[in-house]
Amino acid sequence: MNNQVFNSKGAEIEIEAFHPGEFLMEEIEFRQILKKDFANQIGIFPNNLSLIFAGKRDISAPLAIKIGKALGTSGEMWFNMQSAFNFKKAMQEEYEQAYRSSSKYSL
């Protein structure tokens, strides 16, 4: 599977990962759903929904299914966005650790 994205000139574009909570917040606002009503609909406290919006809480598989049902979308989509974010974050952390490890010997 190729995850590369190219611009119109053929140059590769680096896609930044974003927490799916950001997209969820935009979706709820676009649909003009009150956050407390949505939290109630998916069975979580409004504060926990705010933590998801802020990227401080992940969307688990069961929660992804509930979000999908509530919005008429695929729960798998929400879970895949979370997985992609987690993977991208882990890759970035690995890169940073490798950079720190290699730079301490090049002084």
Side-chain angles (χ1 to χ4, degrees):
M1 184 170 150
N2 187 347
N3 292 326
Q4 294 174 302
V5 178
F6 299 94
N7 67 15
S8 61
K9 296 180 181 176
E12 185 176 357
I13 300 171
E14 180 68 28
I15 303 298
E16 292 294 322
F18 64 92
H19 193 278
E22 294 177 48
F23 183 67
L24 179 60
M25 182 174 64
E26 290 175 5
E27 187 67 23
I28 290 170
E29 289 174 350
F30 177 77
R31 295 177 185 222
Q32 298 179 342
I33 301 171
L34 293 176
K35 293 171 188 171
K36 66 178 184 165
D37 292 342
F38 188 75
N40 186 47
Q41 188 176 7
I42 62 173
I44 65 173
F45 292 112
N47 184 52
N48 288 337
L49 183 59
S50 294
L51 292 173
I52 291 170
F53 291 160
K56 296 180 180 179
R57 181 176 178 203
D58 289 348
I59 296 175
S60 65
L63 185 57
I65 293 167
K66 291 177 184 179
I67 292 169
K69 283 183 181 179
L71 295 177
T73 62
S74 163
E76 187 176 14
M77 176 189 80
W78 294 100
F79 188 68
N80 286 343
M81 282 196 295
Q82 183 66 60
S83 295
F85 173 77
N86 292 348
F87 185 80
K88 183 75 171 180
K89 190 169 112 180
M91 282 179 52
Q92 183 65 33
E93 290 169 0
E94 179 67 23
Y95 172 79
E96 289 171 2
Q97 180 187 16
Y99 178 76
R100 282 192 302 270
S101 295
S102 66
S103 65
K104 71 180 180 182
Y105 295 111
S106 61
L107 295 176

